Amino acid sequence: MRSTARRSSASLFSPAIAARRDAPDVQLQKMLVGRVAGKPVNCISLSGSNSSEIIDGKAIVYRVGSRLYVNEPRSGAQSLHRDDILVTRTIGSQLCSIDTVRLIDRSSRFPRGFVSLGQFVPYSKIKAR
């Protein structure tokens, strides 16, 4: 009987240790709450970019001022991992849909692959009336 109690108590603690993440689509939806999509653009200014965030296997979200630009890569999106380091080489001061982004594993510092960027969809905050 004692061994049965141990097994059941161990199984009770497993879910608490392994925290679940939302599915990529849900993560993106939560990030975009209170925003409205604009017309997709081919390039964004790097000088105005504050940060970027990876949605696992889905997209890269760039913050430019108060606007978010969602880029769902044309290829390689399945390789995106939130702990990746993004390495981008551009010509000029803009990041464009023809650019590629190399993915570097944050812990090992080894290359993990790359993505070919798609268009950038701007999301602006909904104006209060």
Side-chain angles (χ1 to χ4, degrees), residues 96-114:
C96 296
S97 59
I98 61 169
D99 293 324
T100 59
V101 177
R102 290 187 311 132
L103 308 172
I104 307 294
D105 183 86
R106 186 173 303 279
S107 59
S108 70
R109 303 286 196 236
F110 286 117
R112 288 191 358 85
F114 70 94

PDB file of all heavy atoms in Angstrom, residues 96-114:
ATOM      1  N   CYS A  96      13.503  43.785 -44.025  1.00  0.00           N
ATOM      2  CA  CYS A  96      12.515  43.590 -45.094  1.00  0.00           C
ATOM      3  C   CYS A  96      12.131  42.131 -45.275  1.00  0.00           C
ATOM      4  O   CYS A  96      12.831  41.213 -44.809  1.00  0.00           O
ATOM      5  CB  CYS A  96      13.057  44.148 -46.408  1.00  0.00           C
ATOM      6  SG  CYS A  96      13.322  45.939 -46.360  1.00  0.00           S
ATOM      7  N   SER A  97      11.037  41.937 -45.989  1.00  0.00           N
ATOM      8  CA  SER A  97      10.495  40.598 -46.215  1.00  0.00           C
ATOM      9  C   SER A  97      11.400  39.713 -47.068  1.00  0.00           C
ATOM     10  O   SER A  97      11.176  38.522 -47.156  1.00  0.00           O
ATOM     11  CB  SER A  97       9.105  40.697 -46.852  1.00  0.00           C
ATOM     12  OG  SER A  97       9.186  41.395 -48.080  1.00  0.00           O
ATOM     13  N   ILE A  98      12.440  40.278 -47.668  1.00  0.00           N
ATOM     14  CA  ILE A  98      13.380  39.466 -48.448  1.00  0.00           C
ATOM     15  C   ILE A  98      14.571  39.005 -47.600  1.00  0.00           C
ATOM     16  O   ILE A  98      15.405  38.233 -48.047  1.00  0.00           O
ATOM     17  CB  ILE A  98      13.901  40.221 -49.692  1.00  0.00           C
ATOM     18  CG1 ILE A  98      14.633  41.485 -49.266  1.00  0.00           C
ATOM     19  CG2 ILE A  98      12.774  40.511 -50.663  1.00  0.00           C
ATOM     20  CD1 ILE A  98      15.400  42.144 -50.399  1.00  0.00           C
ATOM     21  N   ASP A  99      14.634  39.480 -46.328  1.00  0.00           N
ATOM     22  CA  ASP A  99      15.751  39.143 -45.450  1.00  0.00           C
ATOM     23  C   ASP A  99      15.572  37.770 -44.802  1.00  0.00           C
ATOM     24  O   ASP A  99      14.451  37.269 -44.679  1.00  0.00           O
ATOM     25  CB  ASP A  99      15.904  40.199 -44.349  1.00  0.00           C
ATOM     26  CG  ASP A  99      16.339  41.544 -44.901  1.00  0.00           C
ATOM     27  OD1 ASP A  99      17.133  41.565 -45.863  1.00  0.00           O
ATOM     28  OD2 ASP A  99      15.884  42.571 -44.373  1.00  0.00           O
ATOM     29  N   THR A 100      16.711  37.208 -44.382  1.00  0.00           N
ATOM     30  CA  THR A 100      16.687  35.966 -43.611  1.00  0.00           C
ATOM     31  C   THR A 100      17.231  36.263 -42.217  1.00  0.00           C
ATOM     32  O   THR A 100      18.009  37.195 -42.016  1.00  0.00           O
ATOM     33  CB  THR A 100      17.532  34.848 -44.272  1.00  0.00           C
ATOM     34  OG1 THR A 100      18.868  35.297 -44.393  1.00  0.00           O
ATOM     35  CG2 THR A 100      16.965  34.452 -45.616  1.00  0.00           C
ATOM     36  N   VAL A 101      16.797  35.477 -41.264  1.00  0.00           N
ATOM     37  CA  VAL A 101      17.227  35.616 -39.880  1.00  0.00           C
ATOM     38  C   VAL A 101      17.778  34.265 -39.434  1.00  0.00           C
ATOM     39  O   VAL A 101      17.088  33.251 -39.516  1.00  0.00           O
ATOM     40  CB  VAL A 101      16.045  36.036 -38.966  1.00  0.00           C
ATOM     41  CG1 VAL A 101      16.483  36.110 -37.511  1.00  0.00           C
ATOM     42  CG2 VAL A 101      15.460  37.362 -39.422  1.00  0.00           C
ATOM     43  N   ARG A 102      19.038  34.280 -38.979  1.00  0.00           N
ATOM     44  CA  ARG A 102      19.642  33.050 -38.456  1.00  0.00           C
ATOM     45  C   ARG A 102      19.212  32.861 -37.010  1.00  0.00           C
ATOM     46  O   ARG A 102      19.064  33.820 -36.261  1.00  0.00           O
ATOM     47  CB  ARG A 102      21.166  33.117 -38.536  1.00  0.00           C
ATOM     48  CG  ARG A 102      21.665  33.059 -39.965  1.00  0.00           C
ATOM     49  CD  ARG A 102      23.175  32.952 -40.090  1.00  0.00           C
ATOM     50  NE  ARG A 102      23.893  33.920 -39.285  1.00  0.00           N
ATOM     51  CZ  ARG A 102      24.917  33.625 -38.489  1.00  0.00           C
ATOM     52  NH1 ARG A 102      25.360  32.391 -38.396  1.00  0.00           N
ATOM     53  NH2 ARG A 102      25.519  34.571 -37.796  1.00  0.00           N
ATOM     54  N   LEU A 103      19.025  31.607 -36.628  1.00  0.00           N
ATOM     55  CA  LEU A 103      18.602  31.264 -35.274  1.00  0.00           C
ATOM     56  C   LEU A 103      19.769  30.611 -34.548  1.00  0.00           C
ATOM     57  O   LEU A 103      20.343  29.634 -35.036  1.00  0.00           O
ATOM     58  CB  LEU A 103      17.409  30.301 -35.319  1.00  0.00           C
ATOM     59  CG  LEU A 103      16.224  30.750 -36.181  1.00  0.00           C
ATOM     60  CD1 LEU A 103      15.196  29.644 -36.300  1.00  0.00           C
ATOM     61  CD2 LEU A 103      15.612  32.012 -35.614  1.00  0.00           C
ATOM     62  N   ILE A 104      20.124  31.150 -33.385  1.00  0.00           N
ATOM     63  CA  ILE A 104      21.221  30.626 -32.586  1.00  0.00           C
ATOM     64  C   ILE A 104      20.649  30.150 -31.253  1.00  0.00           C
ATOM     65  O   ILE A 104      19.901  30.887 -30.597  1.00  0.00           O
ATOM     66  CB  ILE A 104      22.300  31.715 -32.314  1.00  0.00           C
ATOM     67  CG1 ILE A 104      22.774  32.355 -33.619  1.00  0.00           C
ATOM     68  CG2 ILE A 104      23.458  31.153 -31.494  1.00  0.00           C
ATOM     69  CD1 ILE A 104      23.525  31.449 -34.549  1.00  0.00           C
ATOM     70  N   ASP A 105      21.000  28.932 -30.853  1.00  0.00           N
ATOM     71  CA  ASP A 105      20.559  28.394 -29.568  1.00  0.00           C
ATOM     72  C   ASP A 105      21.196  29.204 -28.441  1.00  0.00           C
ATOM     73  O   ASP A 105      22.415  29.358 -28.393  1.00  0.00           O
ATOM     74  CB  ASP A 105      20.957  26.928 -29.462  1.00  0.00           C
ATOM     75  CG  ASP A 105      20.467  26.307 -28.172  1.00  0.00           C
ATOM     76  OD1 ASP A 105      19.319  25.842 -28.141  1.00  0.00           O
ATOM     77  OD2 ASP A 105      21.246  26.310 -27.197  1.00  0.00           O
ATOM     78  N   ARG A 106      20.384  29.735 -27.552  1.00  0.00           N
ATOM     79  CA  ARG A 106      20.871  30.613 -26.490  1.00  0.00           C
ATOM     80  C   ARG A 106      21.837  29.908 -25.533  1.00  0.00           C
ATOM     81  O   ARG A 106      22.832  30.488 -25.098  1.00  0.00           O
ATOM     82  CB  ARG A 106      19.702  31.184 -25.690  1.00  0.00           C
ATOM     83  CG  ARG A 106      20.108  32.225 -24.664  1.00  0.00           C
ATOM     84  CD  ARG A 106      18.912  32.896 -24.017  1.00  0.00           C
ATOM     85  NE  ARG A 106      18.016  33.534 -24.964  1.00  0.00           N
ATOM     86  CZ  ARG A 106      18.205  34.733 -25.496  1.00  0.00           C
ATOM     87  NH1 ARG A 106      19.267  35.430 -25.188  1.00  0.00           N
ATOM     88  NH2 ARG A 106      17.332  35.237 -26.344  1.00  0.00           N
ATOM     89  N   SER A 107      21.593  28.656 -25.201  1.00  0.00           N
ATOM     90  CA  SER A 107      22.451  27.988 -24.224  1.00  0.00           C
ATOM     91  C   SER A 107      23.744  27.443 -24.831  1.00  0.00           C
ATOM     92  O   SER A 107      24.809  27.590 -24.259  1.00  0.00           O
ATOM     93  CB  SER A 107      21.686  26.885 -23.493  1.00  0.00           C
ATOM     94  OG  SER A 107      21.213  25.932 -24.417  1.00  0.00           O
ATOM     95  N   SER A 108      23.666  26.831 -26.003  1.00  0.00           N
ATOM     96  CA  SER A 108      24.869  26.231 -26.600  1.00  0.00           C
ATOM     97  C   SER A 108      25.608  27.180 -27.537  1.00  0.00           C
ATOM     98  O   SER A 108      26.766  26.955 -27.860  1.00  0.00           O
ATOM     99  CB  SER A 108      24.492  24.973 -27.381  1.00  0.00           C
ATOM    100  OG  SER A 108      23.763  25.312 -28.548  1.00  0.00           O
ATOM    101  N   ARG A 109      24.910  28.219 -28.002  1.00  0.00           N
ATOM    102  CA  ARG A 109      25.446  29.188 -28.971  1.00  0.00           C
ATOM    103  C   ARG A 109      25.696  28.574 -30.351  1.00  0.00           C
ATOM    104  O   ARG A 109      26.390  29.132 -31.166  1.00  0.00           O
ATOM    105  CB  ARG A 109      26.734  29.856 -28.466  1.00  0.00           C
ATOM    106  CG  ARG A 109      26.596  30.555 -27.145  1.00  0.00           C
ATOM    107  CD  ARG A 109      25.821  31.847 -27.300  1.00  0.00           C
ATOM    108  NE  ARG A 109      26.004  32.692 -26.122  1.00  0.00           N
ATOM    109  CZ  ARG A 109      25.016  33.157 -25.388  1.00  0.00           C
ATOM    110  NH1 ARG A 109      23.785  32.875 -25.707  1.00  0.00           N
ATOM    111  NH2 ARG A 109      25.244  33.926 -24.360  1.00  0.00           N
ATOM    112  N   PHE A 110      25.104  27.421 -30.608  1.00  0.00           N
ATOM    113  CA  PHE A 110      25.231  26.786 -31.920  1.00  0.00           C
ATOM    114  C   PHE A 110      24.092  27.234 -32.824  1.00  0.00           C
ATOM    115  O   PHE A 110      22.964  27.450 -32.366  1.00  0.00           O
ATOM    116  CB  PHE A 110      25.201  25.259 -31.805  1.00  0.00           C
ATOM    117  CG  PHE A 110      26.462  24.668 -31.253  1.00  0.00           C
ATOM    118  CD1 PHE A 110      26.449  23.984 -30.047  1.00  0.00           C
ATOM    119  CD2 PHE A 110      27.658  24.790 -31.935  1.00  0.00           C
ATOM    120  CE1 PHE A 110      27.600  23.440 -29.529  1.00  0.00           C
ATOM    121  CE2 PHE A 110      28.823  24.248 -31.428  1.00  0.00           C
ATOM    122  CZ  PHE A 110      28.804  23.566 -30.217  1.00  0.00           C
ATOM    123  N   PRO A 111      24.350  27.350 -34.130  1.00  0.00           N
ATOM    124  CA  PRO A 111      23.279  27.690 -35.080  1.00  0.00           C
ATOM    125  C   PRO A 111      22.198  26.612 -35.081  1.00  0.00           C
ATOM    126  O   PRO A 111      22.499  25.422 -34.998  1.00  0.00           O
ATOM    127  CB  PRO A 111      24.004  27.730 -36.430  1.00  0.00           C
ATOM    128  CG  PRO A 111      25.446  27.871 -36.107  1.00  0.00           C
ATOM    129  CD  PRO A 111      25.646  27.218 -34.777  1.00  0.00           C
ATOM    130  N   ARG A 112      20.932  27.056 -35.153  1.00  0.00           N
ATOM    131  CA  ARG A 112      19.804  26.111 -35.185  1.00  0.00           C
ATOM    132  C   ARG A 112      19.070  26.133 -36.516  1.00  0.00           C
ATOM    133  O   ARG A 112      18.167  25.364 -36.730  1.00  0.00           O
ATOM    134  CB  ARG A 112      18.807  26.464 -34.075  1.00  0.00           C
ATOM    135  CG  ARG A 112      19.276  26.151 -32.698  1.00  0.00           C
ATOM    136  CD  ARG A 112      18.204  26.263 -31.625  1.00  0.00           C
ATOM    137  NE  ARG A 112      16.877  26.688 -31.990  1.00  0.00           N
ATOM    138  CZ  ARG A 112      15.896  25.893 -32.448  1.00  0.00           C
ATOM    139  NH1 ARG A 112      16.097  24.621 -32.614  1.00  0.00           N
ATOM    140  NH2 ARG A 112      14.715  26.384 -32.747  1.00  0.00           N
ATOM    141  N   GLY A 113      19.394  27.061 -37.373  1.00  0.00           N
ATOM    142  CA  GLY A 113      18.700  27.162 -38.650  1.00  0.00           C
ATOM    143  C   GLY A 113      18.449  28.616 -38.996  1.00  0.00           C
ATOM    144  O   GLY A 113      19.114  29.511 -38.476  1.00  0.00           O
ATOM    145  N   PHE A 114      17.461  28.833 -39.865  1.00  0.00           N
ATOM    146  CA  PHE A 114      17.124  30.202 -40.257  1.00  0.00           C
ATOM    147  C   PHE A 114      15.683  30.252 -40.708  1.00  0.00           C
ATOM    148  O   PHE A 114      15.054  29.220 -40.973  1.00  0.00           O
ATOM    149  CB  PHE A 114      18.051  30.708 -41.370  1.00  0.00           C
ATOM    150  CG  PHE A 114      17.832  30.054 -42.699  1.00  0.00           C
ATOM    151  CD1 PHE A 114      16.998  30.639 -43.648  1.00  0.00           C
ATOM    152  CD2 PHE A 114      18.441  28.844 -43.001  1.00  0.00           C
ATOM    153  CE1 PHE A 114      16.782  30.035 -44.866  1.00  0.00           C
ATOM    154  CE2 PHE A 114      18.226  28.235 -44.230  1.00  0.00           C
ATOM    155  CZ  PHE A 114      17.400  28.830 -45.169  1.00  0.00           C
TER     156      PHE A 114
END
